[in-house]
């Protein structure tokens, strides 16, 4: 295999509607690595994930995001997906009238054929169905699932099955899983952790954004990052994730009093 690709985030500042949220994030991640991103509510974890995939609401005001030296800040979400970026949303949207299989066929066609124009050149149905069937077999997902409407009435576990199926089909180089949803029931946690165990490997770098200890027990991160007030204030290994689960963020705030003060200030200005 060639050198693993690297995603590099340098001094990233991001505003939402003129309010600065990220204030100088530095992070590096390579294909094949598992990272955990933790931090208290409102510290900026989802903001970082949305910014990385190019959500238009999040404006980069300073700093850079690059893949193997190519700056991606000016690229639209579709172009970023082609370079191997993937985000599973904390709150996935329901798209009425679009079936799981149709959605995946469009997504895969977009990623694999950069010159594709909307509505043209979809991946041939036979090839697509074979790949979908093989992948669903491998993941023990009933094929009937492909005929459901996307996220329409999905249980927590089914939303996660969709997420894992997308990962398996799209094969991103850098996957961000925002799993902070408090509605993540035990079925959903099991689907994600088993799916990740099956899919992770040298081709995929994974960033798991979570407060759920079980996810990280089954997918042990080599790096754990802690975000506070829009910055990554600490990076450690899996032991750091354990410590945060056991003791919460009081220790982090004590170790980083300036960031803790900024956190307090931001909270006061919004209430
Ligand atoms: N689209 C938006 N519009 C307005 N404010 C936003 C938006 N997105 C994020 N923010 C603000 O940015 C800050 C960081 O929010 P973010 O959702 O990134 O935190 P988080 O670390 O993901 O929190 P949680 O653990 O609750 O998921 C918060 O103060 C939030 O109110
Ligand atoms: Mg969040």
């Amino acid at each position: 295999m060639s050198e693993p690709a690297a995603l590099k985030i340098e001094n990233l500042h991001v505003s939402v509607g003129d309010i600065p949220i990220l204030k100088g994030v530095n992070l590096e991640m390579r294909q094949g690595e598992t990272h955990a991103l933790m931090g208290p509510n409102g510290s900026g974890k989802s903001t970082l994930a949305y910014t990385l995939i190019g959500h238009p609401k999040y404006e980069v005001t300073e700093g850079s995001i690059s893949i193997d030296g190519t700056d991606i800040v000016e690229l639209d979400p579709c172009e970023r997906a082609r370079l191997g970026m993937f985000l599973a949303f904390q709150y996935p949207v329901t798209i009425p009238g679009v079936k799981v299989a149709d959605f995946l066929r469009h997504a895969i066609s977009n990623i694999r054929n950069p010159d594709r124009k909307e509505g043209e050149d979809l991946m041939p149905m036979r090839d697509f169905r074979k790949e979908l069937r093989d992948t669903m077999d491998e993941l023990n997902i009933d094929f009937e699932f492909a005929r459901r409407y996307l996220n329409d009435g999905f249980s927590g576990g089914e939303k996660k099955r969709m997420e894992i199926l997308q990962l398996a089909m799209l094969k991103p180089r850098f996957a961000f899983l925002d799993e902070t949803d408090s509605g993540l029931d035990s079925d959903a946690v099991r689907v994600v952790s088993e799916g990740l165990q099956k899919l992770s490997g040298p081709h995929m770098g994974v960033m798991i954004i979570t407060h759920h200890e079980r996810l990280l027990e089954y997918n042990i991160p080599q790096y754990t990052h802690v975000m506070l007030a829009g910055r990554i204030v600490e990076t450690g290994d899996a032991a750091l994730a354990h410590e945060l689960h056991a003791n919460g963020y009081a220790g982090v705030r004590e170790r980083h009093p300036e960031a803790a003060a900024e956190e307090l200030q931001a909270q006061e200005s919004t209430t």
Side-chain angles (χ1 to χ4, degrees), residues 45-46 90 178 180:
K45 306 179 297 295
S46 297
Q90 191 171 0
D178 199 348
T180 43

Side-chain angles (χ1 to χ4, degrees), residues 192-223:
V192 176
S193 64
E194 287 179 6
L196 274 183
Q197 285 171 64
K198 269 195 187 142
L199 298 178
S200 60
H203 295 285
M204 189 168 69
V206 188
M207 173 77 74
I208 308 174
I209 304 174
T210 190
H211 302 296
H212 286 267
E213 183 154 32
R214 266 193 54 206
L215 261 189
L216 300 179
E217 262 172 28
Y218 291 102
N219 298 277
I220 296 169
Q222 283 111 27
Y223 302 94

